[in-house]
Amino acid sequence: MTIKDIAVCAFKLLGRSDIADALSAGSEPDNESAEKTEALVYCINAVEDELARYYFPVKWTEELQSADGKFYFTDFAHRPVKILEVKSDGKAVNFKEFSKYIYCGYKSITVEYEYSPEKRGLENASAFDGTAVGEGLIACGAAAEYCVVAGSVQLAAYWEGRYRRSIELLRGRMRARSVVPPRRWV
């Protein structure tokens, strides 16, 4: 799922099939379409950031090296939001978080963390590609944001409601999967 796929879905939700069809066909948008597409991509990025920070964390694990045991956030592959676990030689180690780095006293670590997705363009893959978060959910949120930017308050409220309901529905499904069903034969 790419940002373009989400944009096409959002434009269709907003009743702008002309722009959606042009994006799908890969043709160059004119001035008005280009401006609207740029605004929508901004909205999609904002929605992905919100989803990753508050509802459906995006996790990453990587190995890092440091001569002094300080592992700067700028050296991470993504912008960390929350450090989940730090290991050295396969064993969990204590670490201390500072504003610009984590310190653990080891030279080589494996760190697992939640991150905030970087801003993406039309051709980039979504941060939620291959996850339970689908393009429809992100498109609803982006449509709500787009309507706020465009000044359409009633439409923004409608899409915001659908977006919030979709989040709760997906979170409910995810919680339901994590519950062990009762053993009726016992």
Side-chain angles (χ1 to χ4, degrees):
M1 164 174 68
T2 64
I3 300 298
K4 184 190 283 188
D5 297 333
I6 298 166
V8 167
C9 183
F11 275 128
K12 286 181 180 177
L13 292 175
L14 293 166
R16 292 303 308 258
S17 295
D18 57 327
I19 300 174
D21 293 342
L23 281 176
S24 294
S27 61
E28 286 295 317
D30 60 8
N31 289 341
E32 178 197 2
S33 297
E35 186 179 309
K36 291 183 184 311
T37 302
E38 185 177 328
L40 186 65
V41 168
Y42 177 83
C43 295
I44 291 169
N45 281 312
V47 169
E48 282 198 343
D49 187 67
E50 177 188 15
L51 289 172
R53 286 179 186 267
Y54 302 112
Y55 301 107
F56 308 104
V58 184
K59 296 178 185 178
W60 188 258
T61 303
E62 66 180 295
E63 294 183 16
L64 296 169
Q65 312 291 323
S66 172
D68 59 359
K70 291 181 181 177
F71 298 89
Y72 289 89
F73 296 131
T74 54
D75 295 333
F76 284 44
H78 303 285
R79 292 178 296 177
V81 172
K82 181 180 178 183
I83 305 295
L84 301 172
E85 185 176 48
V86 177
K87 291 182 177 182
S88 182
D89 295 326
K91 297 178 185 170
V93 296
N94 292 327
F95 62 95
K96 195 165 189 170
E97 286 186 60
F98 295 92
S99 61
K100 295 184 180 182
Y101 61 90
I102 60 171
Y103 177 78
C104 66
Y106 294 88
K107 294 183 189 245
S108 176
I109 63 168
T110 301
V111 61
E112 180 182 13
Y113 58 93
E114 295 174 1
Y115 69 91
S116 174
E118 62 274 355
K119 303 299 179 216
R120 298 163 192 269
L122 274 176
E123 300 303 324
N124 297 115
S126 167
F128 295 99
D129 189 27
T131 67
V133 178
E135 70 183 39
L137 188 147
I138 300 169
C140 280
E145 292 291 320
Y146 184 84
C147 289
V148 168
V149 170
S152 182
V153 179
Q154 288 180 328
L155 248 130
Y158 171 75
W159 289 115
E160 182 72 18
R162 283 200 46 189
Y163 171 60
R164 297 291 166 201
R165 283 190 300 277
S166 296
I167 289 172
E168 289 308 312
L169 181 66
L170 183 57
R171 289 180 77 187
R173 271 194 242 141
M174 293 174 101
R175 279 191 296 264
R177 274 190 246 154
S178 65
V179 174
V180 177
R183 293 184 178 99
R184 300 197 193 297
W185 62 88
V186 179

